[in-house]
Amino acid sequence: MTKRILFLIFFSICFLYQAQQNLIQIKKEILTNVKTIQNNYENKSLSEIQISNFFCENFYCSICETDSLESNISNKQITNYLKDIIPFLEYKSLRKSKINYDSENQQYTLGFQTAKPDSKTGFEGAGALLTFIKENGKLKFCGIIQIP
């Protein structure tokens, strides 16, 4: 009985270690994609093909000021909103952020603080959450939410 318990503990530790290593690899891939998006945007060479490779077809954008009440924008519309999205693709902030996996929605989330709290004014701070999903074996940017 003791051997079974030890085996289960050992197996659990190995499984958790493997899951953590997988998240580290996913985060590296996300950061590589973010760097590519930033570089191509700065060089004005971000093509529609690249956008479809890096962004989901239905992209949720709470920071984009769309004409409709809907916050979903299509791949073809992303070029119109890149000026709003790019400032939130901060490589340094994302590199320091923790990656989380939501198994229910099968998405990865990276979040970071965009404004620090101020106790004098009562401001609670602000942040951004970036979500990514795997689509056809590729990680794609599927949404950005700004948290006031």
Side-chain angles (χ1 to χ4, degrees), residues 21-107:
Q21 288 300 104
N22 189 32
L23 285 178
I24 290 169
Q25 288 303 109
I26 297 289
K27 186 175 177 181
K28 283 181 182 178
E29 187 177 341
I30 288 170
L31 292 174
T32 300
N33 291 350
V34 164
K35 214 174 217 181
T36 304
I37 292 168
Q38 285 177 327
N39 290 339
N40 290 334
Y41 178 76
E42 288 171 9
N43 297 333
K44 299 184 184 332
S45 63
L46 193 60
S47 69
E48 285 185 35
I49 293 170
Q50 288 175 319
I51 287 173
S52 65
N53 284 334
F54 295 124
F55 291 85
C56 290
E57 181 58 41
N58 248 345
F59 183 78
Y60 181 82
C61 185
S62 72
I63 58 167
C64 300
E65 295 183 23
T66 61
D67 294 334
S68 68
L69 297 174
E70 187 86 20
S71 292
N72 286 338
I73 55 177
S74 72
N75 241 291
K76 293 175 179 79
Q77 295 173 309
I78 287 176
T79 53
N80 300 334
Y81 299 103
L82 278 174
K83 67 183 182 315
D84 299 325
I85 297 168
I86 291 295
F88 289 90
L89 294 178
E90 294 182 22
Y91 180 82
K92 290 179 183 176
S93 298
L94 290 172
R95 191 182 74 205
K96 293 177 186 175
S97 70
K98 183 180 178 202
I99 186 167
N100 293 308
Y101 178 68
D102 178 1
S103 58
E104 185 176 324
N105 295 318
Q106 296 183 343
Q107 65 185 18

Coordinates of all heavy atoms in Angstrom, one line a residue, residues 21-107:
Q21 N 6.4 22.5 -17.9 CA 7.3 22.6 -19.0 C 6.5 22.9 -20.3 O 7.0 23.7 -21.1 CB 8.1 21.3 -19.2 CG 9.2 21.0 -18.2 CD 10.2 22.2 -18.2 OE1 10.2 23.0 -17.3 NE2 11.1 22.2 -19.1
N22 N 5.4 22.3 -20.5 CA 4.5 22.6 -21.7 C 4.1 24.1 -21.7 O 4.1 24.7 -22.7 CB 3.3 21.7 -21.7 CG 2.5 21.8 -22.9 OD1 3.1 22.0 -24.0 ND2 1.2 21.6 -22.8
L23 N 3.7 24.6 -20.5 CA 3.3 26.0 -20.4 C 4.5 26.9 -20.8 O 4.3 28.0 -21.4 CB 2.7 26.3 -19.0 CG 1.3 25.8 -18.8 CD1 0.9 26.1 -17.3 CD2 0.3 26.3 -19.8
I24 N 5.7 26.5 -20.3 CA 6.8 27.4 -20.6 C 7.1 27.4 -22.2 O 7.4 28.5 -22.7 CB 8.1 26.8 -19.9 CG1 7.9 27.1 -18.4 CG2 9.4 27.4 -20.4 CD1 8.9 26.4 -17.5
Q25 N 6.9 26.3 -22.8 CA 7.1 26.2 -24.3 C 6.0 27.0 -25.0 O 6.3 27.7 -26.0 CB 7.0 24.8 -24.8 CG 8.3 24.0 -24.4 CD 9.5 24.6 -25.0 OE1 10.3 25.1 -24.2 NE2 9.7 24.6 -26.3
I26 N 4.8 26.9 -24.5 CA 3.7 27.7 -25.1 C 3.9 29.2 -24.9 O 3.8 30.0 -25.9 CB 2.3 27.4 -24.4 CG1 1.9 25.9 -24.6 CG2 1.2 28.3 -24.8 CD1 1.5 25.5 -26.0
K27 N 4.4 29.6 -23.8 CA 4.7 31.0 -23.5 C 5.8 31.5 -24.5 O 5.8 32.6 -25.0 CB 5.1 31.3 -22.1 CG 5.3 32.7 -21.7 CD 5.6 32.9 -20.3 CE 5.8 34.4 -20.0 NZ 6.1 34.6 -18.5
K28 N 6.9 30.7 -24.7 CA 7.9 31.0 -25.6 C 7.4 31.2 -27.0 O 7.8 32.2 -27.7 CB 9.0 29.9 -25.6 CG 9.9 30.0 -24.4 CD 11.0 28.9 -24.5 CE 11.9 28.9 -23.3 NZ 12.9 27.8 -23.3
E29 N 6.5 30.4 -27.4 CA 5.9 30.5 -28.7 C 5.1 31.8 -28.9 O 5.1 32.5 -29.9 CB 5.0 29.3 -29.1 CG 4.5 29.2 -30.5 CD 3.7 27.9 -30.8 OE1 3.8 26.9 -30.0 OE2 3.0 28.0 -31.8
I30 N 4.3 32.1 -27.8 CA 3.5 33.3 -27.8 C 4.4 34.5 -27.9 O 4.2 35.4 -28.7 CB 2.7 33.4 -26.5 CG1 1.5 32.4 -26.6 CG2 2.1 34.8 -26.3 CD1 0.7 32.2 -25.3
L31 N 5.5 34.5 -27.1 CA 6.4 35.7 -27.1 C 7.1 35.8 -28.5 O 7.3 36.9 -29.0 CB 7.5 35.5 -26.0 CG 6.9 35.7 -24.6 CD1 8.0 35.4 -23.6 CD2 6.3 37.0 -24.4
T32 N 7.4 34.7 -29.1 CA 8.0 34.8 -30.5 C 7.0 35.4 -31.5 O 7.4 36.2 -32.3 CB 8.4 33.4 -31.0 OG1 9.4 32.8 -30.0 CG2 9.0 33.4 -32.3
N33 N 5.8 35.0 -31.4 CA 4.7 35.5 -32.2 C 4.5 37.0 -32.0 O 4.4 37.8 -32.9 CB 3.4 34.8 -32.0 CG 3.4 33.4 -32.6 OD1 4.4 33.0 -33.2 ND2 2.4 32.6 -32.2
V34 N 4.5 37.4 -30.7 CA 4.3 38.8 -30.4 C 5.5 39.7 -30.9 O 5.3 40.7 -31.5 CB 4.3 39.0 -28.8 CG1 4.5 40.4 -28.4 CG2 2.9 38.5 -28.3
K35 N 6.7 39.2 -30.8 CA 7.9 39.9 -31.4 C 7.7 40.0 -32.9 O 8.0 41.1 -33.4 CB 9.1 39.1 -31.0 CG 10.3 40.0 -30.7 CD 11.5 39.2 -30.3 CE 12.2 40.0 -29.2 NZ 13.4 39.3 -28.7
T36 N 7.3 39.0 -33.6 CA 7.2 39.0 -35.0 C 6.1 40.0 -35.4 O 6.3 40.8 -36.3 CB 6.8 37.6 -35.5 OG1 7.8 36.7 -35.1 CG2 6.7 37.6 -37.0
I37 N 5.0 40.0 -34.7 CA 3.9 41.0 -35.0 C 4.4 42.4 -34.8 O 4.2 43.2 -35.7 CB 2.7 40.7 -34.1 CG1 2.0 39.4 -34.4 CG2 1.6 41.8 -34.2 CD1 1.0 38.9 -33.4
Q38 N 5.1 42.7 -33.7 CA 5.6 44.0 -33.4 C 6.6 44.4 -34.5 O 6.5 45.6 -35.0 CB 6.3 44.1 -32.1 CG 5.4 44.0 -30.9 CD 6.1 44.0 -29.6 OE1 7.2 43.4 -29.5 NE2 5.6 44.7 -28.6
N39 N 7.5 43.6 -34.8 CA 8.5 43.9 -35.8 C 7.9 44.2 -37.2 O 8.3 45.2 -37.8 CB 9.6 42.8 -35.9 CG 10.5 42.8 -34.7 OD1 10.6 43.7 -34.0 ND2 11.1 41.6 -34.5
N40 N 7.0 43.4 -37.6 CA 6.4 43.5 -38.9 C 5.4 44.8 -38.9 O 5.3 45.4 -39.9 CB 5.6 42.3 -39.3 CG 6.6 41.2 -39.7 OD1 7.7 41.4 -40.1 ND2 6.1 39.9 -39.5
Y41 N 4.8 45.1 -37.8 CA 4.0 46.3 -37.7 C 4.9 47.5 -37.8 O 4.5 48.4 -38.6 CB 3.2 46.3 -36.4 CG 2.3 47.5 -36.2 CD1 1.1 47.6 -36.9 CD2 2.7 48.5 -35.4 CE1 0.4 48.8 -36.8 CE2 1.9 49.7 -35.2 CZ 0.8 49.8 -36.0 OH 0.0 50.9 -35.8
E42 N 6.0 47.5 -37.1 CA 6.9 48.7 -37.2 C 7.5 48.9 -38.5 O 7.7 50.0 -39.0 CB 8.0 48.5 -36.1 CG 7.6 48.7 -34.7 CD 8.6 48.3 -33.7 OE1 9.8 48.0 -34.1 OE2 8.3 48.2 -32.5
N43 N 7.7 47.8 -39.3 CA 8.3 47.9 -40.6 C 7.2 48.0 -41.7 O 7.5 48.0 -42.9 CB 9.1 46.6 -40.9 CG 10.3 46.5 -40.0 OD1 10.8 47.4 -39.5 ND2 10.7 45.2 -39.8
K44 N 5.9 48.1 -41.2 CA 4.8 48.2 -42.1 C 4.7 47.1 -43.1 O 4.4 47.3 -44.3 CB 4.8 49.6 -42.8 CG 4.7 50.8 -41.9 CD 4.6 52.1 -42.6 CE 4.7 53.3 -41.8 NZ 4.2 53.4 -40.5
S45 N 5.1 45.9 -42.6 CA 5.1 44.7 -43.5 C 4.2 43.6 -43.0 O 4.4 42.4 -43.3 CB 6.5 44.3 -43.7 OG 7.1 43.8 -42.5
L46 N 3.2 43.9 -42.1 CA 2.4 42.9 -41.6 C 1.3 42.6 -42.6 O 0.4 43.4 -42.8 CB 1.7 43.4 -40.3 CG 1.1 42.3 -39.4 CD1 2.0 41.2 -39.0 CD2 0.5 43.0 -38.2
S47 N 1.4 41.5 -43.3 CA 0.5 41.1 -44.4 C -0.8 40.4 -43.8 O -0.8 40.0 -42.7 CB 1.2 40.2 -45.3 OG 1.4 38.9 -44.7
E48 N -1.8 40.3 -44.7 CA -3.0 39.7 -44.3 C -2.8 38.2 -44.0 O -3.5 37.6 -43.1 CB -4.1 39.8 -45.4 CG -4.7 41.2 -45.5 CD -5.8 41.3 -46.5 OE1 -6.5 40.3 -46.7 OE2 -5.9 42.4 -47.1
I49 N -1.8 37.6 -44.7 CA -1.5 36.2 -44.4 C -0.9 36.0 -43.0 O -1.3 35.1 -42.3 CB -0.5 35.6 -45.5 CG1 -1.2 35.6 -46.9 CG2 0.0 34.3 -45.1 CD1 -0.3 35.3 -48.0
Q50 N 0.0 36.9 -42.7 CA 0.5 36.9 -41.3 C -0.5 37.1 -40.3 O -0.6 36.5 -39.2 CB 1.6 37.9 -41.2 CG 2.9 37.6 -41.9 CD 3.9 38.7 -41.8 OE1 3.6 39.9 -41.9 NE2 5.2 38.3 -41.7
I51 N -1.4 38.1 -40.5 CA -2.5 38.3 -39.6 C -3.4 37.1 -39.4 O -3.7 36.7 -38.3 CB -3.4 39.5 -40.0 CG1 -2.6 40.8 -39.8 CG2 -4.7 39.6 -39.3 CD1 -3.2 42.1 -40.4
S52 N -3.7 36.4 -40.5 CA -4.5 35.2 -40.3 C -3.7 34.0 -39.7 O -4.3 33.2 -39.1 CB -5.0 34.7 -41.7 OG -3.9 34.3 -42.5
N53 N -2.3 34.1 -39.7 CA -1.5 33.1 -39.0 C -1.4 33.4 -37.5 O -1.2 32.5 -36.7 CB -0.1 33.1 -39.6 CG -0.1 32.3 -40.9 OD1 -0.9 31.5 -41.2 ND2 0.9 32.7 -41.7
F54 N -1.5 34.7 -37.1 CA -1.3 35.0 -35.7 C -2.6 35.4 -35.0 O -2.6 35.3 -33.8 CB -0.4 36.3 -35.6 CG 1.0 36.0 -36.1 CD1 1.6 36.7 -37.1 CD2 1.8 34.9 -35.5 CE1 2.9 36.5 -37.5 CE2 3.1 34.7 -35.9 CZ 3.7 35.5 -36.9
F55 N -3.6 35.7 -35.7 CA -4.9 36.1 -35.1 C -6.0 35.2 -35.4 O -6.1 34.7 -36.6 CB -5.3 37.5 -35.5 CG -4.4 38.6 -35.0 CD1 -3.2 39.0 -35.6 CD2 -4.7 39.3 -33.8 CE1 -2.4 40.0 -35.2 CE2 -3.9 40.3 -33.4 CZ -2.8 40.7 -34.0
C56 N -6.9 34.9 -34.5 CA -8.1 34.1 -34.7 C -9.0 34.8 -35.7 O -9.0 36.0 -35.7 CB -8.8 33.8 -33.4 SG -7.9 32.7 -32.4
E57 N -9.9 34.0 -36.4 CA -10.8 34.6 -37.3 C -11.8 35.6 -36.6 O -12.1 36.6 -37.1 CB -11.6 33.5 -38.0 CG -12.6 34.0 -39.0 CD -12.0 34.9 -40.1 OE1 -10.9 34.6 -40.6 OE2 -12.6 35.9 -40.5
N58 N -12.2 35.2 -35.4 CA -13.1 36.0 -34.6 C -12.3 36.5 -33.4 O -12.1 35.8 -32.4 CB -14.3 35.2 -34.1 CG -15.6 35.7 -34.7 OD1 -15.6 36.8 -35.3 ND2 -16.6 34.9 -34.6
F59 N -11.8 37.7 -33.4 CA -10.9 38.3 -32.4 C -11.7 39.2 -31.5 O -12.4 40.1 -32.0 CB -9.8 39.1 -33.1 CG -8.8 39.7 -32.2 CD1 -7.8 38.9 -31.6 CD2 -8.8 41.0 -31.9 CE1 -6.9 39.4 -30.8 CE2 -7.9 41.5 -31.0 CZ -6.9 40.7 -30.5
Y60 N -11.7 38.9 -30.2 CA -12.4 39.7 -29.2 C -11.5 40.9 -28.8 O -10.4 40.6 -28.3 CB -12.8 38.9 -28.0 CG -13.6 39.7 -27.0 CD1 -14.9 40.0 -27.2 CD2 -12.9 40.3 -25.9 CE1 -15.6 40.8 -26.3 CE2 -13.6 41.1 -25.0 CZ -15.0 41.3 -25.2 OH -15.7 42.1 -24.3
C61 N -12.0 42.1 -28.9 CA -11.1 43.3 -28.6 C -11.9 44.3 -27.8 O -12.8 45.0 -28.3 CB -10.6 43.9 -29.9 SG -9.5 45.2 -29.6
S62 N -11.7 44.3 -26.5 CA -12.5 45.3 -25.6 C -11.9 46.7 -25.7 O -12.5 47.6 -25.4 CB -12.5 44.8 -24.2 OG -11.2 45.0 -23.6
I63 N -10.7 46.8 -26.3 CA -10.0 48.1 -26.4 C -10.3 48.8 -27.7 O -10.0 50.0 -27.9 CB -8.5 48.0 -26.1 CG1 -7.9 47.1 -27.1 CG2 -8.2 47.6 -24.7 CD1 -6.4 47.1 -27.2
C64 N -10.8 48.0 -28.7 CA -11.0 48.5 -30.0 C -12.4 49.3 -30.1 O -13.4 48.8 -29.6 CB -11.0 47.4 -31.1 SG -9.5 46.5 -31.1
E65 N -12.3 50.5 -30.6 CA -13.6 51.2 -30.7 C -14.2 50.9 -32.0 O -13.9 51.5 -33.1 CB -13.3 52.7 -30.6 CG -12.8 53.1 -29.2 CD -12.5 54.6 -29.0 OE1 -13.2 55.4 -29.8 OE2 -11.7 54.9 -28.2
T66 N -15.1 49.9 -32.0 CA -15.8 49.5 -33.2 C -17.1 50.3 -33.4 O -17.6 50.9 -32.5 CB -16.1 48.0 -33.2 OG1 -17.0 47.7 -32.1 CG2 -14.9 47.1 -33.0
D67 N -17.6 50.2 -34.6 CA -18.8 51.0 -34.9 C -20.0 50.3 -34.3 O -21.0 50.9 -34.0 CB -19.0 51.1 -36.5 CG -17.9 52.0 -37.1 OD1 -17.4 52.8 -36.4 OD2 -17.6 51.8 -38.3
S68 N -19.9 49.0 -34.2 CA -21.0 48.2 -33.6 C -20.9 48.0 -32.1 O -19.8 48.3 -31.6 CB -21.2 46.8 -34.3 OG -20.0 46.0 -33.9
L69 N -21.9 47.5 -31.5 CA -21.8 47.2 -30.0 C -21.0 45.9 -29.8 O -20.6 45.7 -28.7 CB -23.2 47.1 -29.5 CG -24.1 48.4 -29.5 CD1 -25.5 48.1 -29.0 CD2 -23.4 49.5 -28.7
E70 N -20.8 45.1 -30.8 CA -20.1 43.9 -30.7 C -18.6 44.2 -30.6 O -18.1 45.0 -31.3 CB -20.4 43.1 -32.0 CG -19.9 41.7 -32.0 CD -20.8 40.7 -31.4 OE1 -22.0 41.0 -31.2 OE2 -20.3 39.6 -31.0
S71 N -17.9 43.4 -29.7 CA -16.5 43.6 -29.6 C -15.7 42.6 -30.4 O -14.5 42.6 -30.3 CB -16.1 43.5 -28.1 OG -16.6 44.6 -27.4
N72 N -16.3 41.7 -31.1 CA -15.6 40.8 -32.0 C -15.3 41.5 -33.3 O -16.2 42.1 -33.9 CB -16.5 39.5 -32.2 CG -16.5 38.6 -31.0 OD1 -15.6 38.7 -30.2 ND2 -17.5 37.8 -31.0
I73 N -14.1 41.3 -33.8 CA -13.7 41.8 -35.1 C -13.1 40.6 -35.9 O -12.6 39.7 -35.4 CB -12.7 43.0 -35.0 CG1 -11.5 42.6 -34.2 CG2 -13.4 44.2 -34.5 CD1 -10.4 43.7 -34.2
S74 N -13.3 40.7 -37.2 CA -12.8 39.6 -38.1 C -11.4 39.9 -38.4 O -10.8 40.9 -38.2 CB -13.7 39.5 -39.3 OG -13.4 40.6 -40.2
N75 N -10.8 38.8 -38.9 CA -9.4 38.9 -39.4 C -9.2 40.0 -40.3 O -8.1 40.7 -40.3 CB -9.0 37.6 -40.1 CG -7.9 36.8 -39.4 OD1 -6.8 37.3 -39.5 ND2 -8.3 35.7 -38.8
K76 N -10.1 40.2 -41.2 CA -9.9 41.3 -42.3 C -10.0 42.7 -41.6 O -9.5 43.6 -42.2 CB -11.0 41.1 -43.3 CG -10.8 39.8 -44.1 CD -12.0 39.6 -45.1 CE -11.8 38.4 -45.9 NZ -12.1 37.2 -45.3
Q77 N -10.6 42.8 -40.5 CA -10.8 44.1 -39.8 C -9.6 44.4 -38.9 O -9.4 45.6 -38.5 CB -12.1 44.2 -39.0 CG -13.3 44.1 -39.8 CD -14.5 44.0 -38.9 OE1 -14.6 43.2 -38.0 NE2 -15.5 44.8 -39.1
I78 N -8.8 43.4 -38.6 CA -7.7 43.6 -37.6 C -6.8 44.7 -38.0 O -6.3 45.5 -37.2 CB -7.0 42.3 -37.3 CG1 -7.9 41.4 -36.4 CG2 -5.7 42.5 -36.6 CD1 -7.4 40.1 -36.1
T79 N -6.5 44.8 -39.3 CA -5.5 45.9 -39.7 C -6.0 47.3 -39.4 O -5.2 48.2 -39.1 CB -5.3 45.8 -41.3 OG1 -6.5 45.8 -41.9 CG2 -4.5 44.6 -41.6
N80 N -7.4 47.5 -39.3 CA -7.9 48.8 -38.9 C -7.7 49.1 -37.4 O -7.8 50.2 -37.0 CB -9.4 48.8 -39.2 CG -9.7 48.6 -40.7 OD1 -8.9 48.9 -41.6 ND2 -10.9 48.1 -41.0
Y81 N -7.5 48.0 -36.6 CA -7.4 48.2 -35.2 C -6.0 47.9 -34.6 O -5.9 48.0 -33.4 CB -8.5 47.3 -34.5 CG -9.9 47.7 -34.9 CD1 -10.6 46.9 -35.8 CD2 -10.5 48.8 -34.4 CE1 -11.9 47.3 -36.2 CE2 -11.8 49.2 -34.8 CZ -12.4 48.4 -35.7 OH -13.7 48.8 -36.1
L82 N -5.1 47.7 -35.5 CA -3.7 47.3 -35.0 C -3.1 48.5 -34.1 O -2.4 48.2 -33.2 CB -2.8 47.0 -36.1 CG -2.9 45.6 -36.6 CD1 -2.1 45.4 -37.9 CD2 -2.5 44.6 -35.6
K83 N -3.4 49.7 -34.5 CA -2.9 50.8 -33.7 C -3.4 50.8 -32.3 O -2.7 51.3 -31.4 CB -3.3 52.2 -34.4 CG -4.8 52.5 -34.4 CD -5.1 53.8 -35.1 CE -6.5 54.1 -35.1 NZ -7.5 53.1 -35.4
D84 N -4.6 50.2 -32.0 CA -5.1 50.0 -30.7 C -4.5 48.8 -30.0 O -4.3 48.8 -28.8 CB -6.6 49.9 -30.7 CG -7.3 51.1 -31.3 OD1 -6.8 52.2 -31.0 OD2 -8.3 50.9 -31.9
I85 N -4.2 47.7 -30.7 CA -3.8 46.5 -30.2 C -2.3 46.4 -29.9 O -1.9 45.9 -28.9 CB -4.2 45.3 -31.2 CG1 -5.7 45.2 -31.3 CG2 -3.6 44.0 -30.7 CD1 -6.1 44.3 -32.5
I86 N -1.5 47.0 -30.8 CA 0.0 46.9 -30.7 C 0.5 47.4 -29.3 O 1.4 46.8 -28.7 CB 0.7 47.6 -31.9 CG1 0.4 46.8 -33.2 CG2 2.2 47.8 -31.6 CD1 1.1 45.4 -33.2
P87 N 0.0 48.5 -28.8 CA 0.6 49.0 -27.5 C 0.4 47.9 -26.3 O 1.1 48.0 -25.4 CB -0.2 50.2 -27.2 CG -0.7 50.7 -28.5 CD -0.9 49.5 -29.3
F88 N -0.6 47.0 -26.5 CA -0.8 46.0 -25.5 C 0.1 44.7 -25.7 O 0.1 43.9 -24.9 CB -2.3 45.6 -25.4 CG -3.1 46.7 -24.8 CD1 -3.6 47.7 -25.6 CD2 -3.3 46.8 -23.4 CE1 -4.4 48.7 -25.0 CE2 -4.0 47.8 -22.8 CZ -4.5 48.8 -23.6
L89 N 0.8 44.7 -26.8 CA 1.7 43.6 -27.1 C 3.1 43.9 -26.6 O 4.0 43.9 -27.3 CB 1.7 43.2 -28.6 CG 0.4 42.7 -29.1 CD1 0.5 42.4 -30.6 CD2 -0.1 41.4 -28.4
E90 N 3.2 44.3 -25.3 CA 4.4 44.7 -24.7 C 5.2 43.5 -24.4 O 4.9 42.7 -23.5 CB 4.2 45.5 -23.5 CG 3.5 46.8 -23.7 CD 3.3 47.6 -22.4 OE1 4.1 47.3 -21.4 OE2 2.5 48.4 -22.4
Y91 N 6.3 43.2 -25.2 CA 7.1 42.0 -25.0 C 7.7 41.9 -23.6 O 7.6 40.8 -23.0 CB 8.2 42.1 -26.0 CG 9.1 40.8 -25.9 CD1 8.8 39.6 -26.5 CD2 10.3 40.9 -25.2 CE1 9.5 38.5 -26.4 CE2 11.1 39.7 -25.1 CZ 10.7 38.6 -25.7 OH 11.5 37.5 -25.6
K92 N 8.2 43.0 -23.0 CA 8.8 42.9 -21.7 C 7.8 42.6 -20.6 O 8.1 41.8 -19.7 CB 9.5 44.3 -21.4 CG 10.7 44.5 -22.2 CD 11.4 45.8 -21.8 CE 12.6 46.1 -22.7 NZ 13.2 47.4 -22.5
S93 N 6.6 43.2 -20.7 CA 5.6 42.9 -19.7 C 5.0 41.5 -19.9 O 4.8 40.8 -18.9 CB 4.4 43.9 -19.9 OG 4.8 45.2 -19.7
L94 N 4.9 41.1 -21.1 CA 4.4 39.7 -21.3 C 5.4 38.7 -20.9 O 5.1 37.6 -20.4 CB 4.0 39.5 -22.8 CG 2.8 40.3 -23.3 CD1 2.6 40.1 -24.8 CD2 1.5 39.8 -22.6
R95 N 6.7 39.0 -21.1 CA 7.8 38.0 -20.7 C 7.7 37.8 -19.2 O 8.0 36.7 -18.7 CB 9.1 38.6 -21.1 CG 10.2 37.6 -21.0 CD 11.5 38.1 -21.4 NE 11.9 39.0 -20.4 CZ 12.8 40.0 -20.5 NH1 13.3 40.3 -21.7 NH2 13.1 40.8 -19.5
K96 N 7.4 38.9 -18.4 CA 7.4 38.8 -17.0 C 6.1 38.2 -16.4 O 6.0 37.8 -15.3 CB 7.6 40.2 -16.4 CG 8.9 40.8 -16.6 CD 9.0 42.2 -16.0 CE 10.3 42.9 -16.4 NZ 10.3 44.3 -16.0
S97 N 5.1 38.2 -17.3 CA 3.8 37.7 -16.8 C 3.7 36.2 -16.7 O 4.5 35.5 -17.3 CB 2.7 38.2 -17.7 OG 2.7 37.5 -19.0
K98 N 2.7 35.8 -15.9 CA 2.5 34.3 -15.7 C 1.5 33.8 -16.7 O 0.5 34.5 -17.0 CB 2.0 34.1 -14.3 CG 1.8 32.7 -13.9 CD 1.3 32.5 -12.5 CE 1.0 31.0 -12.3 NZ 0.1 30.8 -11.2
I99 N 1.8 32.7 -17.2 CA 0.8 32.1 -18.2 C -0.1 31.1 -17.5 O 0.3 30.4 -16.5 CB 1.6 31.3 -19.3 CG1 0.6 30.9 -20.4 CG2 2.4 30.2 -18.8 CD1 1.2 30.4 -21.7
N100 N -1.4 31.2 -17.8 CA -2.4 30.3 -17.3 C -3.1 29.6 -18.4 O -3.3 30.1 -19.5 CB -3.4 31.1 -16.5 CG -2.8 31.7 -15.2 OD1 -2.2 31.1 -14.4 ND2 -3.0 33.0 -15.1
Y101 N -3.6 28.4 -18.1 CA -4.3 27.6 -19.0 C -5.7 27.3 -18.5 O -5.9 26.8 -17.4 CB -3.6 26.3 -19.3 CG -4.4 25.4 -20.3 CD1 -4.5 25.8 -21.6 CD2 -5.0 24.2 -19.9 CE1 -5.3 25.0 -22.5 CE2 -5.7 23.4 -20.8 CZ -5.8 23.9 -22.1 OH -6.5 23.1 -23.0
D102 N -6.7 27.7 -19.2 CA -8.1 27.4 -18.9 C -8.6 26.2 -19.7 O -8.8 26.3 -20.9 CB -8.9 28.7 -19.2 CG -10.4 28.5 -18.9 OD1 -10.8 27.4 -18.5 OD2 -11.2 29.4 -19.2
S103 N -8.6 25.1 -19.0 CA -9.0 23.8 -19.7 C -10.4 23.8 -20.2 O -10.7 23.1 -21.2 CB -8.7 22.6 -18.8 OG -9.4 22.7 -17.6
E104 N -11.3 24.5 -19.5 CA -12.7 24.5 -19.9 C -12.8 25.2 -21.3 O -13.5 24.7 -22.2 CB -13.5 25.3 -18.9 CG -15.0 25.2 -19.2 CD -15.8 25.9 -18.1 OE1 -15.5 25.8 -16.9 OE2 -16.8 26.5 -18.4
N105 N -12.2 26.4 -21.5 CA -12.2 27.1 -22.7 C -11.1 26.8 -23.7 O -11.0 27.3 -24.8 CB -12.3 28.6 -22.5 CG -13.5 29.0 -21.8 OD1 -14.6 28.6 -22.1 ND2 -13.4 29.9 -20.8
Q106 N -10.2 26.0 -23.2 CA -9.0 25.6 -23.9 C -8.2 26.8 -24.5 O -7.9 26.9 -25.6 CB -9.3 24.6 -25.0 CG -9.9 23.3 -24.5 CD -10.2 22.3 -25.6 OE1 -10.2 22.6 -26.8 NE2 -10.3 21.0 -25.2
Q107 N -7.9 27.7 -23.5 CA -7.2 28.9 -23.9 C -6.1 29.2 -22.9 O -6.2 28.9 -21.7 CB -8.1 30.1 -24.2 CG -8.9 30.6 -22.9 CD -9.9 31.7 -23.3 OE1 -10.3 31.8 -24.4 NE2 -10.3 32.4 -22.3

